[in-house]
Amino acid sequence: MTKTHDEPPTSAPDHRPSSGHPRRRTVVAATAATAALLPLAGAASGAYAAEGPAFLHGVASGDPLPDGVLLWTRVTPSPEAVPGSGKGGSTTVTWEVAEDEDFGTVVAHGTAKAEAASDHTVKADVRGLAADTAYWFRFSAGDVRSPAGRTRTAPAEDGATDNLRFGVVSCSHYEGGYFASYRHLAARTDLRAVLHLGDYIYEYGHDEYLREGQTKEAVRTAQPTHETITLADYRIRHAHHKLDPDCQAMHAAHPMIAMWDDHEIADDTWSGGADNHTPGEEGDWEDRRRAAHQAYFEWMPVRPSIEGTTYRRLRFGRLADLHLLDLRSFRDEQASIGDGDVIDDPDRTITGRKQLDWLKSGLSASTARWRMVGTSVMIAPVAFGSVPAHLLGPLAELLGIPKEGLAVNVDQWDGYTDDRHELLTHLRDQRIENTVFLTGDIHMAFANDVPVKAATYPEEEAVASEFVVTSVTSDNLDDILHVAPDTVSSVAEAAIKAANRHVRWLDMDSHGYGVLDLDAERAQMDYFVLSDKKDRDATSEVRRSYRTLSGTQRVEKADDPLPG
């Protein structure tokens, strides 16, 4: 696979030959040693007591290719060089990749500069590695070494692979609970990568997100304690997440494939602003967006696309393509609920013209068995007032409601029906099979069929399937209502399913993660739930398993979870 961006790698590889080879809220709405270094990130230089270089934020890898992977770390060169400070001199960092955990057979190595201009973060875009191979990697600065991480390259572009398995997470609000989901994923040895579908961080100040009718009080405190607005703010918030030991463990155990949603910038972000941004009082929107984007690419093991966003494409042999979308940078402002004239306006977009054409072209050209699409917001409709097709047009015109029913979350594709109709019609007309949308954002779990017209489902065939994972920690229905799980959700879930027949299953109360498994015959998602998001040692178990069989475009309940 060719590189996915035009910019050169942060450091040029120096290879050695191998020895062997709502606002959403108003709707329903690695290592243990590092744990000793968890004082307040960015609060004061005392948080980083080491006199010399230190790797306090762990290591990470991401965006695996058949011949390479992106490596990441952050070095603290001196006590005053805390994240977001702009302080600290340039430090040379050496990276190395080995075939074994003891680094007896190093197959690639090189150097990079950690500088204040990039918040002393380091990326190495390593190439020349063997396809479908596990490697170990680490960094060093002077005599100080980082923890070691494990990563894995993708299968050869046209290579055969029997199976792919991914962890899937979304919506990890630091103050809402502990990252036990990350800990459970880190402990697994069967994952190719972890897919993070957005809201890796949240921009709110301490208790702000939680006070607005949700969890009564923060489980813990994020840094900085005020809302993130400046470049320094976003850097400190990212850094604080990466001081979490479960977050470090997950990054050290598996490559991550990440995309952003809105909270990496501000709630309900669109191309010209955000619901959680007040011009003037919180500065210029473009300045804030640039700052958030810069900090994201500094602190995440992600290659930017040619346009400098997170939409890009990865391939995993002949078994799967993964198309990752950016549904924030190019979208029009969200409409009001029930405003059919705006919601159905063909001139409004959630993807932008160029990205939608890119996605349609990529889906058409794909020769993989499975076409996975990472979409940060749900594409299957969740609407009320859907009526039979022959009444739909006249009623919509008379009542001024959207043609696909009264959507309750216009931040999703439900608020941009023309883009959705164009994409789904393309899948139908081009007879593109085995498209699976992977979604986060709404803090609930769903298993959906995706028809072109929900009002005529199931008479009209579904053209894709969708697996939606719940949040790692961010509040859902029982949290918002301050009730025990399943107290009211069964009624709400039944109402949603009755009005939306393509919704095959949903869970409005749980927190956790997903494990997606692909082979030639089916794509299956196991939905794992935590015993208690407020418990650092929370256990997890499979709540439900759904699959889509090759060629069917429909989801069905799986008899058993995946062995693992």
Side-chain angles (χ1 to χ4, degrees):
M1 176 177 284
T2 58
K3 287 179 65 175
T4 57
H5 61 98
D6 288 339
E7 299 175 359
T10 306
S11 59
D14 175 13
H15 301 304
R16 294 180 188 174
S18 168
S19 63
H21 346 165
R23 298 214 158 187
R24 178 178 317 113
R25 300 189 299 277
T26 62
V27 189
V28 178
T31 60
T34 312
L37 300 171
L38 297 182
L40 302 181
S45 61
Y48 301 96
E51 289 300 322
F55 294 94
L56 306 181
H57 298 87
V59 298
S61 67
D63 282 5
L65 301 175
D67 69 337
V69 69
L70 189 69
L71 307 182
W72 176 94
T73 195
R74 200 267 182 180
V75 64
T76 302
S78 54
E80 76 278 3
V82 297
S85 67
K87 297 180 180 179
S90 175
T91 299
T92 298
V93 177
T94 299
W95 56 266
E96 52 187 343
V97 178
E99 294 179 345
D100 58 307
E101 186 176 2
D102 295 329
F103 288 82
T105 306
V106 173
V107 297
H109 66 101
T111 61
K113 289 288 186 181
E115 300 177 314
S118 59
D119 209 22
H120 291 100
T121 61
V122 174
K123 287 184 177 180
D125 199 347
V126 182
R127 302 300 172 91
L129 303 178
D132 202 12
T133 302
Y135 291 99
W136 293 83
F137 67 97
R138 65 187 179 190
F139 297 84
S140 60
D143 295 330
V144 178
R145 280 181 176 164
S146 73
R150 184 182 181 275
T151 191
R152 185 168 182 170
T153 54
E157 186 166 338
D158 292 320
T161 183
D162 294 334
N163 177 265
L164 294 169
R165 189 171 290 185
F166 301 91
V168 189
V169 288
S170 176
C171 302
S172 40
H173 184 221
Y174 187 91
E175 297 199 341
Y178 292 103
F179 294 156
S181 293
Y182 291 174
R183 173 170 51 83
H184 288 290
L185 289 171
R188 299 184 68 118
T189 59
D190 57 345
L191 303 180
R192 293 284 182 147
V194 172
L195 175 60
H196 202 297
L197 295 169
D199 294 344
Y200 181 95
I201 63 167
Y202 278 66
E203 83 279 16
Y204 287 96
H206 178 58
D207 259 354
E208 285 181 357
Y209 184 69
L210 303 169
R211 279 199 304 264
E212 297 192 18
Q214 304 196 21
T215 296
K216 294 181 180 179
E217 60 183 18
V219 176
R220 49 187 181 163
T221 302
Q223 296 295 324
T225 56
H226 59 266
E227 186 174 326
T228 56
I229 296 173
T230 68
L231 176 58
D233 293 339
Y234 285 105
R235 284 170 164 174
I236 293 169
R237 186 64 56 85
H238 275 281
H240 198 230
H241 273 244
K242 285 192 170 62
L243 284 176
D244 181 274
D246 294 328
C247 184
Q248 287 198 12
M250 177 185 63
H251 279 295
H254 311 293
M256 175 172 278
I257 301 169
M259 51 193 280
W260 61 45
D261 192 24
D262 53 343
H263 287 292
E264 285 89 349
I265 309 164
D267 187 29
D268 283 357
T269 292
W270 58 284
S271 59
D275 189 50
N276 192 33
H277 177 77
T278 305
E281 181 180 326
E282 294 180 319
D284 179 76
W285 167 248
E286 285 301 322
D287 289 343
R288 182 176 186 177
R289 182 165 73 163
R290 278 193 295 269
H293 287 191
Q294 179 176 336
Y296 184 90
F297 285 118
E298 288 172 347
W299 281 88
M300 296 293 288
V302 170
R303 294 186 190 90
S305 70
I306 292 174
E307 293 196 59
T309 83
T310 58
Y311 86 80
R312 61 203 190 281
R313 185 178 296 117
L314 298 171
R315 184 175 173 94
F316 295 86
R318 296 199 297 267
L319 190 55
D321 286 336
L322 174 57
H323 313 258
L324 299 156
L325 303 184
D326 173 6
L327 300 182
R328 295 295 167 181
S329 297
F330 313 107
R331 72 156 70 193
D332 290 303
E333 187 174 9
Q334 294 84 349
S336 299
I337 294 175
D339 191 343
D341 290 340
V342 177
I343 288 172
D344 295 330
D345 185 347
D347 291 330
R348 293 180 69 254
T349 182
I350 189 172
T351 61
R353 183 73 258 166
K354 184 175 181 180
Q355 183 178 199
L356 185 56
D357 288 342
W358 167 87
L359 176 59
K360 290 165 58 181
S361 174
L363 292 170
S364 294
S366 174
T367 58
R369 168 73 74 167
W370 295 99
R371 297 158 182 84
M372 299 186 293
V373 181
T375 169
S376 57
V377 295
M378 196 157 82
I379 191 167
V382 174
F384 296 89
S386 292
V387 296
H390 70 283
L391 298 176
L392 199 57
L395 278 177
E397 184 175 349
L398 289 171
L399 300 177
I401 63 172
K403 293 179 180 178
E404 297 183 18
L406 185 60
V408 296
N409 190 340
V410 293
D411 189 54
Q412 300 177 169
W413 290 78
D414 278 336
Y416 304 83
T417 58
D418 194 73
D419 273 3
R420 179 170 63 192
H421 186 266
E422 180 178 339
L423 176 58
L424 300 184
T425 300
H426 177 76
L427 294 177
R428 181 192 65 194
D429 293 349
Q430 297 295 314
R431 298 183 179 181
I432 298 171
E433 295 187 337
N434 295 348
T435 300
V436 178
F437 291 96
L438 304 171
T439 310
D441 175 69
I442 55 174
H443 314 169
M444 296 180 284
F446 282 76
N448 301 321
D449 293 339
V450 185
V452 175
K453 294 181 180 179
T456 57
Y457 178 89
E459 288 78 13
E460 176 162 331
E461 292 289 328
V463 297
S465 304
E466 182 176 34
F467 298 126
V468 184
V469 295
T470 188
S471 64
V472 171
T473 55
S474 302
D475 286 350
N476 48 27
L477 188 62
D478 59 314
D479 302 311
I480 294 169
L481 298 176
H482 310 311
V483 297
D486 302 321
T487 303
V488 295
S489 60
S490 58
V491 176
E493 290 167 4
I496 289 176
K497 290 179 67 176
N500 300 271
R501 291 171 291 177
H502 56 283
V503 174
R504 310 305 298 277
W505 174 76
L506 72 157
D507 177 357
M508 304 177 77
D509 283 345
S510 300
H511 301 278
Y513 58 97
V515 173
L516 175 71
D517 189 270
L518 305 172
D519 63 22
E521 301 303 320
R522 56 98 186 101
Q524 177 167 325
M525 180 72 83
D526 286 352
Y527 295 87
F528 285 80
V529 301
L530 297 178
S531 57
D532 183 357
K533 70 170 185 171
K534 299 179 182 180
D535 180 2
R536 188 187 296 274
D537 299 317
T539 59
S540 72
E541 64 179 8
V542 177
R543 169 63 54 86
R544 196 66 66 89
S545 298
Y546 271 82
R547 68 183 184 183
T548 177
L549 300 179
S550 179
T552 66
Q553 282 67 250
R554 288 177 180 260
V555 298
E556 63 180 26
K557 185 179 177 181
D559 294 332
D560 298 298
L562 304 162

